[in-house]
Amino acid sequence: MSAPNSRRGRVLIVDDQPEILAGMQALLEAEGMDVTTHDSMITLPLVLRKANPDLILLDLSFGALSGESFFRMGRERMLKKTDAMVILFSGLPLQELAAKAEEFGADGVIPKSDDAMRVVARVKTWIEQHRSLRSARERRHLMAKLVPHLLFSC
């Protein structure tokens, strides 16, 4: 992974197919994003802490621990230290993928069969949305801290 840059999107791709990892990494890095790849659900929490992604592209089909198992174990437990958006990235048919996203509370879906430039555009849009939401949450948190002090200091 390249050095973090606050202007660049940070993406974690979790898939057990090396060619998918390499291809998506090359594609997203060519668009200026910082990309971390990982091929195991079992050690995902460790990688999440280090990568601190804005967005996770998560495949659902793994051998030992699948993406579905990830959600069944509890997204909150697995993603304790991150507020990253989770996007299901799978070879499943779109309707099935969308149903899984709804069932598991994922933030979105991208079929692996999608056009590469469409994937890039969607990833960029999700990162922008994520950063806007994070910024709004931070402003609300700051205001909640400041308002009581401002009211009582007058």
Side-chain angles (χ1 to χ4, degrees), residues 11-29:
V11 180
L12 171 61
I13 306 168
V14 185
D15 199 304
D16 62 347
Q17 297 179 349
E19 62 278 0
I20 296 290
L21 291 173
M24 288 302 299
Q25 182 175 16
L27 184 66
L28 295 174
E29 284 179 346

Side-chain angles (χ1 to χ4, degrees), residues 9-152:
R10 294 180 313 272
V11 180
L12 171 61
I13 306 168
V14 185
D15 199 304
D16 62 347
Q17 297 179 349
E19 62 278 0
I20 296 290
L21 291 173
M24 288 302 299
Q25 182 175 16
L27 184 66
L28 295 174
E29 284 179 346
E31 292 295 321
M33 294 177 222
D34 289 316
V35 179
T36 301
T37 61
H38 194 61
D39 62 359
S40 170
M41 293 300 297
I42 295 169
T43 54
L44 181 57
L46 299 172
V47 172
L48 279 169
R49 279 185 287 236
K50 189 175 181 181
N52 190 27
D54 296 307
L55 185 129
I56 302 167
L57 290 179
L58 178 68
D59 185 23
L60 289 178
S61 304
F62 277 82
L65 179 64
S66 70
E68 288 188 35
S69 297
F70 167 85
F71 280 103
R72 293 195 200 296
M73 287 174 56
R75 177 179 173 171
E76 293 79 24
R77 194 176 104 211
M78 294 289 281
L79 297 175
K80 279 183 203 174
K81 304 278 185 192
T82 183
D83 66 348
M85 296 183 82
V86 177
I87 307 301
L88 300 185
F89 180 60
S90 177
L92 294 173
L94 182 57
Q95 288 180 330
E96 187 177 343
L97 190 56
K100 297 259 186 218
E102 187 173 334
E103 176 185 351
F104 298 135
D107 298 301
V109 300
I110 298 179
K112 286 183 178 178
S113 60
D114 255 6
D115 172 74
M117 295 322 299
R118 181 176 169 168
V119 170
V120 169
R122 293 180 76 195
V123 166
K124 285 181 175 180
T125 298
W126 277 315
I127 288 172
E128 289 172 14
Q129 289 173 348
H130 177 260
R131 289 184 171 184
S132 293
L133 290 171
R134 182 188 290 160
S135 178
R137 279 193 304 267
E138 288 170 357
R139 282 194 302 275
R140 275 195 311 273
H141 181 70
L142 180 61
M143 289 304 292
K145 283 182 167 181
L146 290 176
V147 168
H149 297 294
L150 293 174
L151 291 176
F152 293 112

